[in-house]
Amino acid sequence: MASIKVYPGDDIIKQLQQMADIDNIAPKCISAAAPVVKKALKKNLKSHRKTGDMEKSITNTKPKKNKQGWYAKVYFSGEDRKGVSNSLKANIIENGKKGQAAHPFVTKTKNDCQSDVSQAMQDKFNEVTGL
C-alpha cells in the first residue's frame, strides 16, 4: 500500500500561526470596517436630512467579543435639538408608521456597503498578518 506524507511550507505555517491570534486580528479588522459603514449610512440618510442631527449622531462602539464572536455596532446616538431620540427617528424612517411609508435606508446601507466592508476588513487582515 502506498502512502504520501505532505508537509506544509513555512509560509503556510506562518499564516496559520498568525490566524490563530484571532483576538488580536479581529478587533483591528472590525475597526477598519466601521468608518465604511458610517460613510454609507450617511450617504443613504441624505434624502431624509432636515437638520443634520441624525447624521451627526452616527457613532460606533469599539469592537467587543461575545459568545458568537467579535462585533461592533454602528448606531444613532442621543437626541435631536427637540429632544427626540435619533434612533427612534431612524426606526420610523426605516420601518414606517401609521400613515407614513417605510424608507429602508439602513437595509439599503447594509446591502450597498457589504463588499466595501469585506474589502476593508481583508485589507486590514493582510496588513496585520503581513500577507
Side-chain angles (χ1 to χ4, degrees):
M1 185 184 283
S3 67
I4 298 174
K5 291 185 179 181
V6 178
Y7 297 98
D10 291 339
D11 289 345
I12 292 173
I13 297 286
K14 181 181 175 188
Q15 290 173 9
L16 289 172
Q17 287 171 336
Q18 289 171 335
M19 288 191 299
D21 192 13
I22 193 72
D23 288 336
N24 180 39
I25 297 169
K28 294 175 183 174
C29 293
I30 291 170
S31 292
V36 175
V37 176
K38 287 167 70 171
K39 181 179 177 184
L41 192 55
K42 286 180 181 184
K43 177 185 171 208
N44 288 327
L45 183 61
K46 283 197 186 282
S47 63
H48 303 285
R49 186 173 199 258
K50 291 183 181 173
T51 63
D53 289 336
M54 282 181 59
E55 198 173 322
K56 292 174 191 167
S57 77
I58 298 171
T59 190
N60 60 281
T61 63
K62 292 180 180 180
K64 297 177 185 174
K65 186 178 180 181
N66 64 15
K67 62 183 175 182
Q68 281 85 32
W70 284 93
Y71 72 97
K73 295 178 186 178
V74 176
Y75 64 98
F76 296 91
S77 66
E79 299 174 339
D80 67 7
R81 57 190 82 192
K82 294 179 182 177
V84 179
S85 166
N86 288 311
S87 61
L88 174 63
K89 292 192 306 186
N91 190 12
I92 290 170
I93 294 169
E94 179 75 10
N95 300 303
K97 68 176 186 176
K98 197 173 193 175
Q100 183 177 337
H103 299 281
F105 73 100
V106 175
T107 302
K108 180 174 176 15
T109 299
K110 184 183 93 172
N111 295 333
D112 288 353
C113 73
Q114 192 169 14
S115 64
D116 292 338
V117 165
S118 294
Q119 188 61 53
M121 292 177 76
Q122 183 67 53
D123 291 346
K124 182 53 84 172
F125 176 83
N126 293 346
E127 178 188 319
V128 170
T129 61
L131 301 177

